[in-house]
Amino acid sequence: MNTLAEYGFTDRIRGLFLLSFPSAISSAESPTELPAIEPARAVRADRGRVLLMTHHGPLHVETDGSVVTGDWVALARNNDDGASPPVVVGILPRYATLQRKRAHDPLSEAQVLGANLDLVGVVVPIDRPLSANRLERTLVAAWDSGAVPIIILTKADLSSRFDEVVAQTIERARGVEVFTTSAEAGDGLDALHERIGAGNTLALIGPSGAGKSTLINALAETDVQDTGQVRAGDGKGRHTTTARELIPLGSGSVLMDTPGVRGFALWDAEDGLEAVFGDIEELFPHCRFNDCAHNAEPGCAVQAAMDGGALEERRWLSYQKMQRELASLHRRQSVVEQRRHGKSFHRVAKEAAKAKDYRNRFAEG
Ligand SMILES: Nc1nc2c(ncn2[C@@H]2O[C@H](COP(=O)(O)OP(=O)(O)OP(=O)(O)O)[C@@H](O)[C@H]2O)c(=O)[nH]1
Ligand SMILES: [Mg+2]
Ligand SMILES: [Zn+2]
């Protein structure tokens, strides 16, 4: 198996490459000459510096920062004289993108955490109380990426309330598959291997100290990723992993380790919201009034579902909070958009005025 195949270069990816960069494929497969353009995958991206895997082994390149971990890129080796460094000349359109809103960003821009993922594993440590809100929020983002989410409970060996937590999680998961693992005892790894299959990319996301890197080491049967002790008091991690990075499993499947994140501010996640809270959204047409605000209106299907015990109030509040968050994101986006538009309009108007002035002077002269 060649190195790029270990990083998920399947027939499907090859096909996608053929569509976007035909010459990358034909030249990469010439046995004699080093290709002019070849496919590569971003294993790790630190702002402008990217570690790529190619058919010819790993390679560091400088980029403009647009390449993210998991990207498939077209690489040009301009080695006429051997002096010019290789450059990324194109990025394959991403078929799945895990993203969140950058924290404290007035421009409201998205931070892309990873690209071309097939599965997103939401990692939940079993030894800490389950936060239903956090799980739902992370599932919304995971669904919205375009990949298939799964939930991975870790540290099964540490919990005496194992069955209870698993049952609670399955209830919250709303159809998302739940896997229980103990990297320590080696439990649940085979089932996870089987679910990952061959040629797929699974990103693990979850809080610091959840056991993401430990699980990756156990699955890959190496100690590639550093792991760190959690704090004695509250079991929180120490942010051991600091970069998003791909780790091959040997089967052509790839794991993406990520630094633990505290919160997941949503980015354009309407589809994800629908996937996780579809049952709530299905209630709306049943309200008596079309413009029901679902507060205290008579004939409100949402209130009725809560009164009847079919809908948990916590879930309704959690849904509303995320809706408000997205609405405020869209308001800010449209302000930024208007400003941009306004600026360019201003510029056009100024240029038009200048041109008119010139014409007038010409006419006078
Ligand atoms: N008992 C037990 N401990 C585990 C298990 N998995 C992880 N741990 C411990 O949990 C701690 C944190 O694990 P990490 O793998 O570093 O956690 P992480 O999610 O990668 O954390 P960050 O990199 O900070 O985001 C380490 O001390 C691990 O040894 C497990 O299955 N059982
Ligand atoms: Mg880690
Ligand atoms: Zn209503």
Side-chain angles (χ1 to χ4, degrees):
M1 186 182 274
N2 74 42
T3 41
L4 202 53
E6 281 179 18
Y7 282 83
F9 193 69
T10 57
D11 285 347
R12 181 168 70 113
I13 300 299
R14 194 175 172 283
L16 291 174
F17 250 100
L18 263 173
L19 290 174
S20 295
F21 312 103
S23 61
I25 297 293
S26 49
S27 60
E29 285 166 3
S30 155
T32 47
E33 53 196 295
L34 208 59
I37 296 183
E38 59 179 300
R41 190 164 203 194
V43 172
R44 182 182 170 138
D46 298 309
R47 292 189 188 84
R49 197 172 150 79
V50 180
L51 172 63
L52 296 177
M53 182 52 71
T54 75
H55 278 305
H56 311 274
L59 181 76
H60 275 107
V61 295
E62 304 286 330
T63 71
D64 61 2
S66 54
V67 176
V68 303
T69 304
D71 263 334
W72 289 103
V73 302
L75 179 73
R77 301 202 195 229
N78 190 355
N79 43 7
D80 303 337
D81 47 7
S84 349
V87 288
V88 169
V89 292
I91 302 176
L92 202 71
R94 297 164 180 157
Y95 62 79
T97 316
L98 181 67
Q99 52 188 353
R100 62 170 178 170
K101 193 181 98 59
R102 271 182 207 285
H104 319 298
D105 177 13
L107 282 179
S108 294
E109 293 200 347
Q111 178 186 20
V112 179
L113 300 178
N116 305 316
L117 313 167
D118 302 286
L119 296 163
V120 173
V122 177
V123 177
V124 181
I126 219 167
D127 63 332
R128 281 188 242 170
L130 178 74
S131 160
N133 284 357
R134 172 186 237 163
L135 179 64
E136 279 164 0
R137 173 176 287 273
T138 319
L139 283 176
V140 167
W143 271 120
D144 210 68
S145 70
V148 175
I150 59 176
I151 296 172
I152 305 173
L153 290 168
T154 52
K155 312 194 191 186
D157 58 291
L158 287 186
S159 179
S160 51
R161 296 168 41 246
F162 181 80
D163 292 338
E164 193 186 324
V165 180
V166 173
Q168 260 180 13
T169 311
I170 289 173
E171 193 192 322
R172 307 273 185 232
R174 307 201 75 80
V176 173
E177 271 178 284
V178 178
F179 293 83
T180 54
T181 62
S182 165
E184 184 74 23
D187 292 340
L189 303 180
D190 289 345
L192 207 47
H193 266 299
E194 202 170 300
R195 180 65 185 87
I196 298 166
N200 291 316
T201 302
L202 161 67
L204 297 186
I205 56 173
S208 178
K212 301 178 293 296
S213 302
T214 309
L215 182 62
I216 286 174
N217 287 341
L219 287 166
E221 294 176 28
T222 56
D223 272 341
V224 272
Q225 293 302 92
D226 287 339
T227 62
Q229 293 290 317
V230 295
R231 292 198 303 226
D234 53 12
K236 284 191 176 154
R238 296 160 194 267
H239 296 279
T240 309
T241 305
T242 54
R244 290 173 285 278
E245 187 164 351
L246 300 183
I247 297 105
L249 279 180
S251 56
S253 283
V254 190
L255 302 176
M256 190 175 114
D257 199 1
T258 67
V261 290
R262 221 170 282 122
F264 227 101
L266 298 180
W267 179 260
D268 279 355
E270 271 79 6
D271 292 345
L273 214 56
E274 193 193 328
V276 177
F277 295 103
D279 59 318
I280 295 183
E281 297 188 346
E282 274 168 22
L283 292 172
F284 300 158
H286 299 287
C287 294
R288 185 177 306 159
F289 303 112
N290 280 339
D291 60 347
C292 185
H294 322 298
N295 288 322
E297 287 86 345
C300 172
V302 175
Q303 290 298 332
M306 278 194 285
D307 293 343
L311 174 61
E312 199 188 344
E313 190 184 10
R314 182 206 56 76
R315 269 188 87 234
W316 170 240
L317 296 177
S318 163
Y319 170 79
Q320 280 185 305
K321 182 159 189 284
M322 287 185 235
Q323 276 291 11
R324 281 198 301 274
E325 195 174 312
L326 288 182
S328 115
L329 173 74
H330 292 322
R331 271 196 306 278
R332 264 172 295 149
Q333 278 171 337
S334 77
V335 168
V336 170
E337 204 39 54
Q338 267 167 18
R339 259 189 226 141
R340 271 196 203 121
H341 185 76
K343 219 181 257 166
S344 56
F345 177 78
H346 187 70
R347 201 181 309 127
V348 171
K350 220 159 109 185
E351 268 156 25
K354 230 195 269 171
K356 192 172 160 208
D357 185 44
Y358 179 76
R359 271 199 310 274
N360 287 346
R361 265 191 291 160
F362 194 72
E364 281 160 20

